[in-house]
Amino acid sequence: MTTPTPARIPTSPASTAAALFRRPFVAGRPGGRPATALRARPAAATELVERSVNTIRFLAVDAVEKANSGHPGLPMGCAPLGHVLFDEFLRFNPTNPGWFDRDRFVLSAGHGCMLHYALLHLAGYKGVTMDDLKAFRQWGSRTPGHPENFETAGVEVTTGPLGQGFANSVGLALAEKHLAARFNKPDFTIVDHYTYVILGDGCQMEGVANEAASLAGHWGLGKLIAFYDDNHISIDGSTDIAFTEDVLARYEALGWHTIWVKNGNTGYDDIRAAIKEAKEVKDKPTLIKVTTIIGYGSPNKASTHSVHGSALGSKEVEATRKNLLWPHEPFHVPDEVKSHWGHHLDEGASLEAEWNAKFAEYEKKYQQEAAELNSIISGELPSEWDKALPTYTPESPADATRNLSQQCLNALAKVIPGFLGGSADLASSNMTLLKMFGDFQKDTPEERNIRFGVREHAMGAICNAIALHSPGLIPYCSTFFVFTDYMRAPIRLSALCGSGVIYVMTHDSIGLGEDGPTHQPVEQLFSLRAMPNILVLRPADGTETSGAYRLAVINRQRPSILALSRQKLPQLEGTSVEGAAKGGYVISDNSLGNKPELILIGTGSELEIAAKAADELRKEGKCVRVVSLICWELFEEQSEEYKESVLPCDVSSRISIEAGVTLGWEKYVGQKGKAIGIDRFGSSAPAGKIYKELGLTVENVIATAKSL
C-alpha cells in the first residue's frame, strides 16, 4: 500500500502548531498505537526548546546567507529532531570527539550540514566556533559544504553523495555489534553505543541505501536508528514526480522496525517517544519516518524546492525572522540557550571518565581481551606483526596471486585483532575466507568473515565506516576487479576521507579468460591510478603480494587496491618486499654504471613476460634492465635520486608491458619508448590465446625492443 502524503501545512507558527498538534504520533505502521513520551535526559522547558530549535534554524539560515551558498531547507525542517537527539539522547564528549564509546551520528543528507555544524557548535565542540560558522563553505574553513571527517571535529564520516552516509551508518553499527560481541562480558559492558543517521528522500532513492538497508536488516543491527526526513521535496520539486513508494513498507520487508512521527516540526514529545521506542527494539534496526516541512518558517519558500539548495535571500530571511518571532541579529545565540547547552561539557567529560574507570577494572580481570581492544581503539599494531606474512623463494610453486593473497589474509587475521572483511558473494573465487573464523551473522557477530552478498556498492561504503569507527579496525572487501565500477563512489570516498580500506580485487586482467570482455578489466587500472590518495598495487608473485599487504596495512590514511591474478604465476628471481615498498625497483640488470641499453617495465602477470624477454635479449648481448612498477603512487613519492637509479633519464629505450590500457605509460616510457597493452576490450577465449592474439607475449616484447 502507499503511505498517504500529509496535506500541505500552513507556515505561520500559530496555525502550524494548531494543525500539527491535532495530528497524532503513530508508532509502528501508519495507524498503529500512540507511543509514550519517554526521555533519556530530562528535557528542557518547551519554551527553551523552541528557542534552541530556532537558534539552530537561524544559525543555518545566516551561515548560508553569508556564504550565498548552501542548503538551508533541511536544517530549518530538521532542527527539532536535531535538538532532541543531540541534547537529550546522544552520548558524546565535546572535549574529546574521539572518545571510543561515544554514540555515532551521521548526516547522510550531507547537503544539510549546517544542521550538524550548528549542533556541534552549541554542544561545545572547539573545532566549530562561531567564526567557523561564519566561514561556512569558504577556503580553509572547518565548515565545508558537505560534512568531512578530516576537517571537522565531531563529524564521523564524509557524506554528500546521497546514500553513502546511510551505508556508512550500517558499517558503524556493524563495528559496534562486532566489538560488543567480542569484548563485553557478563559483568562488564564495555562496548555500548548507538549509531544514529538522518537521511532524506534522495538517499532513499539511491540504490546503495537499499543494499545497505537489506544487510542491516539481515544482520539485526538493533543499535542502528535511522531518521528519514520525509519532507516531500527534492531538487527538481515535489517527490511526487518520481518517488511515491511506501518507504516504511519496504523497510519492514527488509527486516526493520518502523515508526512514523507525523509531526516533525513541533512534536518534540513525539520525537522523544520514537527514539525511546527504537532503543527498546534490540533485534532490528529502526527507521523513524519524521514528516517535516522543508524550510520551516519561511513564509514564501517553505515546502518548495527553492529552499532546498539556495540561500533564502535577504528579504525572505527578514520575513522568516518575523514569522518565527526571532528579532535577533545574524549568528545570535541567546544566553539561556548557550547556558543550557553548556551542560554537555561536564556531562561528556563525566561519561568518558566513568567509561575509563570501568575499562581500568576490565583490564585487571580480562587482560588479553583488554589488550586486543586497546589495539583496536589506539590503532597500534602488535610488534613484528608483519613477520607473520608468508615468504617465498623462486623455488616455491607457481600460484595465482589471489591464492597467495588468501595466505596473507589468514596470516594477518591471526596477529591483528581488528582485521576482518569479506566478499560480494565471491569468497570462494576471490579466495578471501578467513579459515579460522566463522561468519558475522545476526547471532554470531563476534566472527570476522563478512558475507556482503552481491552488493558491491554498499560493501565499499560499509567498509569505509568500519575503518573510521576505530583506528585499529582494518577491513578488507573483495570482488572481481572489473566490478570496481560498481563501487567507484565508496572507493573515491575512501581516498577522500582517509579510510584505509583494503580492496582485494581479483581476476585482474584478460588472464581470467573465458568469461569474456564483460568480466575482463582493461581501463580500471589507469582509472584508479588517476584517483588521488590511493595505492594501486599489482603484485607479480608471492613476495610482492606479501609486500602489498604490508603496505596496505600500514597505510591507514589511504585505501589500497590489490589487483590480483586468476592465473598461476611463477615466483620470480629478484622480487622483494623492500622493493615493493618503494613502488618501483630493479629486479634484474646485466648492465654497469646505471646505463642499460634497454629498460623493460612490467606489473603483475606481465612482469614474468618482461623477465623472460630480457633473458632472451641478454643472450644476444644486450644490456637489459627489468623493473617492477608495482605501485605508481609509491614510486612517485620516492626521491629524485632513487627514481633516477631505477629509470635513468639518459636511457630512452624503454618498453612497458601491462594487460590494460596504455594511457599513462607515456610518463614512464617517454616519447621514444613503447607501451605494450590493450587499447580495446578483451575477448572470450582461453587466457593464453587472448594474450597471444593481443600481443602480450615474449616474442612481441623482443620484436618491439629491436624496433627501438
Side-chain angles (χ1 to χ4, degrees), residues 307-623:
V307 77
H308 169 87
S310 301
L312 294 178
S314 58
K315 291 183 179 179
E316 189 65 13
V317 170
E318 186 60 31
T320 304
R321 277 182 153 77
K322 290 180 180 178
N323 193 37
L324 293 178
L325 307 177
W326 191 256
H328 306 292
E329 71 278 5
F331 297 101
H332 179 75
V333 178
D335 288 341
E336 63 271 27
V337 172
K338 188 180 300 183
S339 175
H340 171 75
W341 277 81
H343 75 88
H344 289 288
L345 292 170
D346 289 339
E347 182 179 290
S350 295
L351 285 170
E352 183 174 358
E354 290 169 9
W355 186 88
N356 287 339
K358 184 192 294 186
F359 187 72
E361 292 300 311
Y362 180 88
E363 278 185 302
K364 294 176 184 177
K365 190 169 184 180
Y366 302 104
Q367 294 181 9
Q368 181 177 343
E369 292 91 336
E372 289 187 3
L373 183 55
N374 252 329
S375 172
I376 290 169
I377 293 172
S378 68
E380 184 177 346
L381 292 167
S383 62
E384 299 189 330
W385 63 271
D386 52 345
K387 293 189 182 303
L389 287 164
T391 58
Y392 305 88
T393 69
E395 291 70 43
S396 301
D399 208 345
T401 51
R402 64 169 175 166
N403 294 333
L404 302 168
S405 163
Q406 185 171 47
Q407 296 171 20
C408 292
L409 288 171
N410 279 270
L412 292 171
K414 291 177 182 177
V415 296
I416 299 178
F419 199 80
L420 75 169
S423 169
D425 198 49
L426 289 168
S428 60
S429 192
N430 298 143
M431 309 306 291
T432 51
L433 198 66
L434 301 179
K435 297 178 181 180
M436 71 290 294
F437 296 110
D439 292 344
F440 176 97
Q441 296 289 359
K442 181 176 182 178
D443 296 324
T444 55
E446 70 279 4
E447 301 292 354
R448 294 205 233 170
N449 286 298
I450 305 175
R451 304 289 190 168
F452 289 102
V454 189
R455 301 183 185 92
E456 291 93 348
H457 198 171
M459 175 176 71
I462 287 168
C463 283
N464 274 342
I466 294 172
L468 293 174
H469 180 279
S470 296
L473 285 177
I474 304 178
Y476 67 89
C477 62
S478 185
T479 185
F480 291 167
F481 190 38
V482 76
F483 297 138
T484 53
D485 290 345
Y486 276 92
M487 53 195 307
R488 174 82 41 163
I491 291 174
R492 184 177 189 272
L493 284 171
S494 295
L496 174 63
C497 73
S499 177
V501 177
I502 302 174
Y503 292 95
V504 182
M505 298 299 162
T506 70
H507 298 62
D508 70 332
S509 73
I510 56 171
L512 66 90
E514 291 84 350
D515 274 343
T518 61
H519 283 53
Q520 293 168 359
V522 175
E523 75 279 16
Q524 281 74 16
L525 273 169
F526 180 74
S527 66
L528 287 163
R529 286 168 177 157
M531 191 178 287
N533 197 44
I534 192 167
L535 300 180
V536 180
L537 299 140
R538 190 163 183 250
D541 63 2
T543 299
E544 287 199 344
T545 302
S546 285
Y549 270 103
R550 180 181 177 276
L551 290 164
V553 168
I554 64 177
N555 276 274
R556 295 291 78 229
Q557 301 302 314
R558 55 181 169 180
S560 300
I561 302 274
L562 274 64
L564 305 167
S565 75
R566 176 181 183 268
Q567 71 273 35
K568 289 186 176 182
L569 304 176
Q571 311 301 334
L572 298 173
E573 189 80 45
T575 56
S576 71
V577 169
E578 296 76 18
K582 296 182 177 180
Y585 64 105
V586 177
I587 71 162
S588 68
D589 189 1
N590 66 330
S591 67
L592 297 174
N594 201 30
K595 294 181 180 180
E597 296 175 74
L598 172 69
I599 300 175
L600 301 180
I601 311 168
T603 74
S605 47
E606 290 71 66
L607 187 60
E608 175 196 5
I609 297 174
K612 287 182 175 179
D615 287 342
E616 295 301 314
L617 289 166
R618 288 167 185 155
K619 291 176 183 177
E620 300 179 14
K622 299 290 185 182
C623 292

Side-chain angles (χ1 to χ4, degrees), residues 184-201:
N184 286 348
K185 302 293 182 180
D187 55 338
F188 278 99
T189 300
I190 207 71
V191 181
D192 183 18
H193 50 268
Y194 281 81
T195 300
Y196 299 94
V197 57
I198 295 177
L199 68 160
D201 289 300

